[in-house]
Amino acid sequence: MIDISLTVNGEQVSARVSARTNLVDFLRGELDLTGSHVGCEHGVCGACTIRVDGVIVRGCLMLAVQAEGADVVTIEGLHDSGEISDLQDAFLQRNALQCGFCTPGMLLASAEYLKTDGTPDREGIREFLSGNYCRCTGYEAIVDAVEKIARARADNCGGSK
Ligand code: FES
Ligand code: FES
């Protein structure tokens, strides 16, 4: 067992973990942050997407011990911060979720797109989200929602994007 200390959703966390525990299992099992989902468990589906030190990663491909000293944000933290409230509303309005299994990862990845690029370009959005699988295949509505917010945010910035 190894002692780790990190920040999760703005709170300092210290824990003793097995060397083989991955980060998403730690978040779900030890901290009860079950918004991050576990699908394929080998880096393919994106259900476990979380933000670590400002960039999205696959929580199933990172060990909890590798998060020592890191700043981790899960879907719960992103929700609480209000950063994606417009995006969440757009997902709801456009019915961009069905079973909801992929939704936390989709929101994390969409937030990253809006932060790093944000162009209201459907092809760009599709490509950026291509590592996140929706087993309900609701991609059209997801792209609609992200495009809508990309457009709205660009308009709010004076149409600079
Ligand atoms: S569970 Fe991590 S990418 Fe699928
Ligand atoms: S809404 Fe069911 S997996 Fe995407």
Side-chain angles (χ1 to χ4, degrees):
M1 301 293 278
I2 298 169
D3 290 324
I4 58 169
S5 179
L6 64 159
T7 303
V8 180
N9 297 333
E11 289 184 23
Q12 194 65 32
V13 172
S14 296
R16 176 162 287 200
V17 297
S18 158
R20 59 188 292 178
T21 301
N22 68 36
L23 185 53
V24 70
D25 284 344
F26 169 69
L27 293 167
R28 289 175 55 86
E30 299 298 319
L31 304 185
D32 211 22
L33 294 168
T34 54
S36 308
H37 293 159
V38 179
C40 66
E41 295 187 75
H42 61 276
V44 175
C45 74
C48 63
T49 302
I50 51 180
R51 191 185 280 175
V52 177
D53 290 335
V55 294
I56 52 171
V57 302
R58 314 233 140 173
C60 70
L61 292 185
M62 184 169 177
L63 296 170
V65 294
Q66 292 176 299
E68 165 66 27
D71 180 19
V72 175
V73 178
T74 68
I75 191 63
E76 290 89 348
L78 208 56
H79 166 80
D80 290 348
S81 73
E83 180 185 325
I84 58 165
S85 58
D86 54 354
L87 191 60
Q88 289 170 299
D89 287 345
F91 266 58
L92 275 177
Q93 286 163 9
R94 188 57 190 84
N95 290 325
L97 61 156
Q98 292 165 74
C99 77
F101 188 82
C102 71
T103 309
M106 284 290 184
L107 287 169
L108 260 295
S110 299
E112 183 91 344
Y113 176 78
L114 292 166
K115 192 160 62 91
T116 58
D117 182 330
T119 312
D121 160 54
R122 297 184 71 82
E123 277 315 301
I125 294 167
R126 278 186 188 282
E127 187 171 338
F128 198 90
L129 297 182
S130 63
N132 288 73
Y133 292 0
C134 175
R135 59 189 181 183
C136 301
T137 69
Y139 295 105
E140 195 71 14
I142 291 168
V143 174
D144 286 350
V146 178
E147 182 189 22
K148 177 184 175 182
I149 299 309
R151 210 170 285 287
R153 290 192 187 181
D155 288 346
N156 285 342
C157 290
S160 58
K161 281 182 179 172

